């Protein structure tokens, strides 16, 4: 098995050089969620539960953003391998139009009907009223985030991952400072509470969009052809929809499923404690997964470029096996470190900082233990679905393997355990991790036969 790790000299330094900026970008992005949770937790558990509930539909927006940029990455990485920069501009144009249309529509719905949307997600109308001001504002931030994310995705796909790290690093620092000013009313600003967190995020997203727009017009690595950007052509629209729409649908439906887990917790008898614990552990778990997301993104770039360069099926398969095994080994190391920190750091120090005591602390400990133990499984699934299968153009299978375990196993079992049988926090926490347990063998089966390798750039425009 470990023979698969043998690669040409310089391969792993190159992999880390490509991955580290993406890891830092994800670390910065996910740290913002933890910072938001920490600052809102200062207001109380009810406020934290309200923001956690409001973020359920917001996660759908975030999933759409990730879906569009992932779909774009499939095309750009292979066009980059072929040296076809004109088609990169065309693909960016289609992604920008489609992405802003979807996120803009959802943002308007959240602005006009925030309480009604919140009422669908929990059993507490008071919580809906508390979270509605946040939901009204936060949706518009993702319209700007969509545009900046797809440009950062294009830069990453042409092996320039530092761009996204720097841009999102700046916006996160700005967001953190604005959170302090608007949530608590410092330096003469009004104390807006949970709404202040949304206002801070919106202003930070506008700033990152302006930076990306400026850089896009001046970039030499992928010079943006505005004529092709605004008129990409029917062939590019057709190709983008063919390879990207399953990815966008995949991420949107997966985001709905992940959000539904939060809705299930919001309907339990101890919903305040469940939601508060899930808000903290969800953000901590994502922080530990940043390395896996970075390796998955690097896998997509390397595999997509190899296919675009015309490498043989055997070479692409060997490359994929190396990257997947490496991701699992790295995930195993992260899991061991994270599990050690649960009794040493999280329970005695971190949980009290977020005002998790008693029942909410016990729930958080169960979620942490099961979530961290599953990190190697997540590492494989992330690299397999978002890296290997998608970059190989096998988007339909990637979608099926990503969604079926979630919707047909994890969600029904979690709902039964939490709402019907009303079991304790440990069975519920284990049920929430069943998705990744099933994805690993299913993805391994699909990848083994090599039928996932497709050149998506054939018939490209001149």
């Amino acid at each position: 098995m470990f023979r698969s790790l043998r690669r040409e000299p310089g391969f792993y330094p190159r992999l880390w050089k490509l991955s580290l900026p993406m890891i830092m970008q994800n670390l910065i992005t996910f740290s913002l969620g933890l910072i938001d949770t920490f600052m809102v937790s200062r207001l109380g558990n009810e406020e934290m539960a309200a923001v956690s509930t409001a973020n359920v539909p917001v996660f759908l927006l975030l999933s759409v953003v990730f879906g569009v940029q992932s779909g774009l990455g499939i095309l750009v990485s292979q066009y980059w391998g072929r040296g076809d920069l004109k088609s990169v501009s065309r693909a960016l144009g289609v992604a920008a139009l489609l992405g802003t249309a979807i996120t803009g529509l959802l943002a308007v719905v959240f602005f006009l009907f925030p309480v009604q949307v919140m009422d669908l997600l929990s059993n507490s109308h008071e919580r809906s009223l508390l979270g509605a001001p946040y939901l009204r504002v936060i949706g518009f931030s993702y319209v700007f985030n969509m545009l900046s994310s797809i440009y950062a995705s294009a830069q990453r796909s042409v092996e320039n991952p530092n761009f996204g790290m720097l841009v999102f690093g700046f916006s996160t620092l700005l967001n953190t400072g604005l959170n302090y000013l608007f949530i608590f009313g410092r330096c003469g600003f009004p104390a807006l509470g949970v709404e202040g967190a949304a206002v801070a995020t919106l202003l930070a997203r506008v700033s990152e969009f302006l930076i990306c727009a400026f850089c896009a017009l001046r970039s030499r690595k992928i010079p943006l052809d505005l004529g092709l950007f605004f008129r990409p052509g029917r062939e590019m629209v057709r190709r983008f929809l063919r390879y990207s729409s399953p990815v966008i649908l995949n991420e949107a439906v997966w985001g709905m499923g992940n959000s539904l887990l939060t809705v299930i917790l919001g309907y339990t008898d101890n919903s305040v404690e469940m939601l508060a614990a899930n808000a903290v552990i969800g953000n901590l778990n994502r922080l530990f997964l940043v390395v896996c997301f970075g390796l998955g993104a690097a896998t997509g770039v390397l595999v997509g470029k190899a296919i675009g360069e015309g490498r043989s099926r055997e070479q692409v398969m060997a490359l994929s096996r190396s990257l997947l095994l490496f991701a699992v080994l790295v995930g195993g190391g992260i899991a061991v470190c994270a599990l050690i920190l649960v009794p040493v750091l999280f329970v005695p120090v971190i949980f009290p900082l977020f005002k998790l005591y008693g029942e909410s602390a016990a729930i958080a400990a169960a979620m942490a233990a099961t979530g961290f133990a599953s990190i190697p499984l997540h590492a494989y699934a992330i690299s397999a679905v978002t890296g290997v299968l998608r970059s190989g153009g096998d988007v339909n299978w990637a979608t099926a393997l990503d969604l079926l375990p979630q919707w047909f196993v994890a969600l029904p079992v979690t709902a039964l355990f939490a709402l019907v049988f009303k079991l304790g926090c440990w069975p519920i926490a284990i049920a929430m991790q069943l998705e990744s347990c099933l994805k690993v063998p299913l993805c391994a089966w699909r990848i083994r036969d090599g039928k996932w390798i497709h050149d998506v750039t054939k018939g490209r425009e001149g």
Side-chain angles (χ1 to χ4, degrees):
M1 179 178 68
F2 290 101
R3 290 180 180 177
S4 299
L5 290 174
R6 295 178 182 174
R7 302 295 305 176
E8 66 275 10
F11 175 80
Y12 289 104
R14 180 186 171 210
L15 175 61
W16 280 117
K17 183 179 180 181
L18 187 60
S19 300
L20 284 174
M22 302 181 199
I23 292 169
M24 292 304 300
Q25 178 184 329
N26 286 326
L27 181 63
I28 291 165
T29 301
F30 293 146
S31 294
L32 176 60
L34 188 62
I35 293 167
D36 273 354
T37 301
F38 174 73
M39 290 189 175
V40 173
S41 73
R42 300 295 89 193
L43 302 174
N45 272 2
E46 285 289 349
E47 285 81 0
M48 187 159 63
V51 171
S52 179
T53 303
N55 274 322
V56 170
V58 171
F59 191 81
L60 175 61
L61 270 175
L62 186 60
S63 298
V64 172
V65 171
F66 185 73
V68 173
Q69 72 177 46
S70 297
L72 177 67
I74 294 171
L75 295 170
V76 172
S77 62
Q78 292 198 21
Y79 283 129
W80 174 245
R82 287 180 174 270
D84 185 357
L85 295 182
K86 290 184 177 181
S87 290
V88 171
S89 290
R90 289 190 173 100
L92 274 168
V94 178
L97 177 62
L98 182 62
T100 52
I102 297 173
T103 52
L105 177 62
L106 290 174
V108 169
V109 172
F110 297 161
F111 178 79
L112 296 177
F113 310 104
V115 176
Q116 293 86 338
V117 171
M118 290 282 293
D119 279 339
L120 295 173
L121 306 174
S122 82
N123 56 2
S124 171
H125 184 66
E126 291 74 18
R127 189 181 303 154
S128 298
L129 295 175
L130 191 59
Y134 178 90
L135 187 59
R136 283 175 62 90
V137 176
I138 196 69
F140 291 105
S141 70
Y142 284 93
V143 179
F144 295 98
N145 181 239
M146 170 64 75
L147 294 169
S148 55
S149 292
I150 62 174
Y151 185 70
S153 175
Q155 287 282 357
R156 181 175 67 227
S157 296
V158 300
E159 300 180 89
N160 182 26
N162 290 314
F163 179 83
M165 177 187 70
L166 295 174
V167 171
F168 293 118
F170 167 77
S171 68
T172 297
L173 290 175
L174 178 61
N175 200 336
T176 301
L178 293 175
N179 271 342
Y180 179 74
L181 297 177
F182 289 123
I183 293 176
F184 305 111
R186 307 301 188 195
C187 301
F189 289 91
L192 300 177
V194 296
E195 185 180 8
V199 172
T201 300
L202 175 59
L203 293 177
R205 296 306 190 195
V206 171
S207 71
E208 74 186 23
F209 161 72
L210 293 175
I211 293 172
C212 286
F214 176 79
C215 293
L217 296 174
R218 297 176 61 87
S219 175
R220 294 181 179 179
K221 189 155 192 173
I222 44 173
L224 188 63
D225 187 320
L226 292 179
L228 298 177
F229 179 86
F230 288 108
R231 291 187 295 175
R234 291 183 180 180
E235 174 60 22
M236 179 55 72
V237 172
R238 182 197 63 79
R239 189 172 302 134
F240 189 93
L241 292 177
R242 177 184 176 185
Y243 291 105
S244 299
S245 55
V247 178
I248 298 169
L249 179 64
N250 178 177
E251 293 301 331
V253 176
W254 185 87
M256 289 173 59
N258 197 69
S259 298
L260 189 55
L261 283 174
T262 306
V263 174
I264 291 170
L265 299 180
Y267 276 90
T268 56
D269 295 335
N270 56 345
S271 61
V272 171
E273 291 79 11
M274 280 285 190
L275 290 171
N278 189 57
V280 174
I281 297 305
N283 282 301
L284 285 174
N285 199 38
R286 282 189 283 272
L287 285 180
F288 281 105
L289 285 173
V290 293
V291 177
C292 304
F293 284 115
L295 288 173
T299 295
V301 173
L302 293 176
V303 173
K305 185 181 180 184
I307 296 171
E309 288 175 338
R311 301 281 184 91
S312 69
R313 182 177 296 270
E314 290 73 21
Q315 289 175 317
V316 175
M317 288 287 291
L319 173 63
S320 301
R321 284 193 294 268
S322 300
L323 292 167
L324 289 171
L325 180 55
F326 186 72
V328 171
L329 293 176
V330 171
I334 295 171
V336 171
C337 296
L339 289 169
I340 291 173
L341 291 176
V342 173
V344 175
L345 178 64
F346 294 146
V347 173
V349 179
I350 301 299
F351 291 177
L353 280 177
F354 286 87
K355 296 188 177 181
L356 296 179
Y357 303 103
E359 184 179 10
S360 59
I363 295 170
M367 290 181 175
T370 55
F372 296 159
S374 301
I375 288 176
L377 303 178
H378 287 294
Y380 182 92
I382 290 167
S383 285
V385 173
T386 66
V388 173
L389 294 176
R390 285 184 183 171
S391 64
D394 198 33
V395 290
N396 292 325
W397 270 100
T399 298
L401 296 178
D402 203 26
L403 297 180
L404 293 179
Q406 180 191 51
W407 281 88
F408 287 91
V409 179
L411 286 173
V413 174
T414 303
L416 284 173
F417 284 8
L419 305 180
V420 179
F421 300 132
K422 299 184 185 296
L423 301 180
C425 57
W426 280 95
I428 295 172
I430 291 172
M432 293 170 67
Q433 300 301 324
L434 289 177
E435 174 187 349
S436 58
C437 296
L438 291 174
K439 279 184 183 179
V440 172
L442 291 173
C443 290
W445 165 77
R446 178 59 183 174
I447 291 172
R448 175 177 289 184
D449 63 16
K451 295 179 181 178
W452 52 271
I453 301 173
H454 309 283
D455 186 342
V456 305
T457 65
K458 289 181 178 178
R460 71 189 190 281
E461 297 88 354

